């Protein structure tokens, strides 16, 4: 069966520090991979998605970037965090165009 | 881009009551997905709908794919305390099935 791992679960970082969140999927190949952000009590905003290694689509201009160095690995990064980067970051995968998304457990990021 | 509007935004109900919520879009969707999110966790898929008019159940949950393909409904029968959470509708964008748009969410509180 397929599983998705996301870490760390929580992170507190100072403003101006770098960020690296990692997500890996097991039990499938060539998945579509996604990063979403959720502000407190609000909906999910799509940040990036990838349909293959090295292929990244950005949905919202911002202080973040994403990379997919391996088929089942998706990384969210920032060179310098802003206060506004605080939020709940969710990684997700799906197989094929019309299939549902499956989410990781999320990373709670607090920028201080 | 495509938007999904959910209503109600939040609701308080008594344990044992039935719950109805809906999701509407300004454009046609070919797939409707319903998720539940518990606090501090990633959303979990409840029901997936793939055909206009389709009615699908998952235990006490029933969801319908609207005939116009611009709306969907989720019903919960005989609510219990563990039904508490945020319910999201979602669907892949018709312009590119890789992207999945989420609704604004319905926050459900169950009073024991």
């Amino acid at each position: 069966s397929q599983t998705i791992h996301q870490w760390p679960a929580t992170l507190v970082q100072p403003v101006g520090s770098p960020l690296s969140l990692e997500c890996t999927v097991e039990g499938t190949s060539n998945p579509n991979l996604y990063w979403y952000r959720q502000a407190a009590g609000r909906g999910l905003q799509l940040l990036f998605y990838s349909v293959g290694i090295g292929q990244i689509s950005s949905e919202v201009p911002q202080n973040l970037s994403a990379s997919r160095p391996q088929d089942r690995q998706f990384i969210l990064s920032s060179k310098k965090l802003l206060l506004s980067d605080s939020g709940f970051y969710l990684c997700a995968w799906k197989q094929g165009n019309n299939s549902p998304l499956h989410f990781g457990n999320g990373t709670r990021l607090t920028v201080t | 881009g495509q938007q999904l509007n959910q209503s109600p935004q939040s609701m308080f109900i008594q344990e044992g009551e039935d719950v109805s919520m809906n999701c509407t879009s300004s454009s046609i969707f070919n797939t409707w997905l319903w998720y539940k999110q518990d606090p501090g966790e990633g959303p979990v898929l409840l029901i997936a709908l793939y055909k206009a008019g389709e009615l699908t159940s998952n235990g006490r949950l029933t969801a319908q794919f609207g005939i116009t393909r611009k709306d969907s409904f989720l019903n919960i029968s005989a609510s219990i305390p563990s039904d508490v959470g945020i319910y999201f509708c979602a669907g892949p964008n018709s312009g590119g099935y890789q992207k999945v748009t989420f609704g604004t969410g319905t926050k459900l509180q169950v009073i024991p």
Side-chain angles (χ1 to χ4, degrees), chain B residues 9-112:
Chain B
Q9 191 172 17
S10 64
M11 50 197 316
F12 286 81
I13 60 166
Q14 206 72 36
E15 183 177 357
E17 287 183 349
D18 296 344
V19 175
S20 289
M21 60 188 78
N22 66 26
C23 186
T24 59
S25 170
S26 57
S27 53
I28 289 173
F29 275 70
N30 292 317
T31 298
W32 284 96
L33 308 169
W34 283 94
Y35 289 84
K36 182 193 176 202
Q37 185 179 28
D38 291 329
E41 298 185 13
V44 174
L45 180 69
L46 298 174
I47 293 177
L49 303 162
Y50 297 103
K51 193 175 172 182
E54 179 181 352
L55 186 73
T56 297
S57 293
N58 177 8
R60 292 179 296 106
L61 278 62
T62 301
Q64 183 160 25
F65 193 138
I67 293 292
T68 66
R69 294 163 64 192
K70 290 185 177 182
D71 56 9
S72 180
F73 307 87
L74 177 69
N75 296 316
I76 306 173
S77 62
S79 59
I80 59 178
S82 61
D83 290 333
V84 165
I86 303 178
Y87 291 80
F88 291 101
C89 62
N93 291 20
S94 58
Y97 288 101
Q98 297 90 350
K99 295 197 288 185
V100 179
T101 298
F102 279 76
T104 47
T106 293
K107 186 172 183 178
L108 178 64
Q109 306 267 40
V110 178
I111 304 167

Side-chain angles (χ1 to χ4, degrees), chain A:
Chain A
S1 64
Q2 301 90 358
T3 56
I4 180 169
H5 302 281
Q6 193 180 335
W7 68 92
T10 60
L11 190 60
V12 180
Q13 292 283 104
V15 168
S17 65
L19 172 74
S20 181
L21 302 181
E22 190 161 341
C23 173
T24 59
V25 180
E26 295 176 0
T28 186
S29 60
N30 198 30
N32 289 354
L33 296 172
Y34 301 79
W35 280 110
Y36 282 84
R37 178 170 59 198
Q38 186 177 31
R42 305 185 74 171
L44 285 75
Q45 179 188 35
L46 179 61
L47 301 177
F48 301 95
Y49 69 94
S50 170
V51 300
I53 296 174
Q55 300 178 60
I56 308 295
S57 296
S58 173
E59 288 300 296
V60 182
Q62 60 208 311
N63 187 41
L64 302 168
S65 62
S67 62
R68 184 170 177 174
Q70 300 181 50
D71 182 43
R72 289 166 289 183
Q73 184 184 26
F74 207 23
I75 298 171
L76 184 69
S77 305
S78 174
K79 292 182 180 177
K80 288 186 178 182
L81 284 168
L82 306 172
L83 285 174
S84 57
D85 291 324
S86 293
F88 192 47
Y89 288 84
L90 289 156
C91 180
W93 72 275
K94 74 186 188 92
Q95 195 78 55
N97 282 339
N98 234 14
S99 58
L101 272 177
H102 302 279
F103 286 88
N105 284 331
T107 295
R108 173 76 58 195
L109 172 66
T110 304
V111 182
T112 61

